[in-house]
Amino acid sequence: MISGAPLIRALLAIHAPAAALLAGRVFQDEAPQGVEFPCATFTCVFDDPQNHLRGRSSLKRQRWQLDVWPPTPDAADQAATAVQAALAVRDPAAVVAWLEEPSVELDFLEQEYRRLAPYSVVMNETRPGHDRDSGLSRFMLDFTLWFY
């Protein structure tokens, strides 16, 4: 599976409020024991290959769940707002620069659907919550990531 994980990390890193809040504490699948809060964890919950009449497409569609773990319940709104804004960033040049992959930029220029941006985030659901096992507050974001 080609993963959107590097793209998610890039979006959270290039957005100043989210980057300042999370300070690099963004983890795929689970956070390490004893991590400082706030932090974020994300996992791919669905990977759907895209096809068209010419066969398999290079377009990817993955559904992700991102959980923001604030230090206190009162900080949940600030953390959720910053992360939602980060996922809405439409700056392919900044993403390419952060990823440090010049070939990605070429892929963006050669994409088969030139009307689309090289990535798109569609928010499906946002929900505050409480994790019973750990006793921590969290804010869950469920989104679909389209990318080349």
Side-chain angles (χ1 to χ4, degrees), residues 18 60 63 116:
K60 317 291 182 290
R63 188 166 169 191
L116 297 177

Side-chain angles (χ1 to χ4, degrees), residues 6-21:
L7 183 55
I8 294 168
R9 288 184 195 280
L11 291 171
L12 294 174
I14 65 174
H15 185 261
L21 186 71

Side-chain angles (χ1 to χ4, degrees), residues 50-57 112-113:
Q50 300 300 300
N51 297 296
H52 49 64
L53 294 176
R54 292 180 292 165
R56 196 152 176 101
S57 170
E112 55 193 279
Y113 300 107

Side-chain angles (χ1 to χ4, degrees), residues 2-10 28 42 62 64 98-99 145 147:
I2 295 174
S3 176
L7 183 55
I8 294 168
R9 288 184 195 280
Q28 189 167 357
F42 62 93
Q62 296 175 347
W64 291 84
W98 190 87
L99 291 173
L145 178 62
F147 64 101

Side-chain angles (χ1 to χ4, degrees), residues 126-139:
T126 59
R127 182 175 15 137
H130 183 80
D131 185 66
R132 287 184 293 203
D133 294 335
S134 66
L136 297 171
S137 294
R138 73 175 181 165
F139 194 88

Side-chain angles (χ1 to χ4, degrees), residues 54-116:
R54 292 180 292 165
R56 196 152 176 101
S57 170
S58 61
L59 180 65
K60 317 291 182 290
R61 181 180 84 157
Q62 296 175 347
R63 188 166 169 191
W64 291 84
Q65 179 178 321
L66 189 145
D67 294 305
V68 181
W69 302 92
T72 64
D74 295 336
D77 189 51
Q78 177 191 9
T81 299
V83 170
Q84 281 181 294
L87 292 175
V89 168
R90 299 285 188 264
D91 190 349
V95 169
V96 167
W98 190 87
L99 291 173
E100 297 179 348
E101 292 186 25
S103 62
V104 173
E105 188 168 19
L106 293 176
D107 289 345
F108 286 174
L109 296 174
E110 298 299 320
Q111 60 186 300
E112 55 193 279
Y113 300 107
R114 299 191 191 286
R115 296 185 314 268
L116 297 177

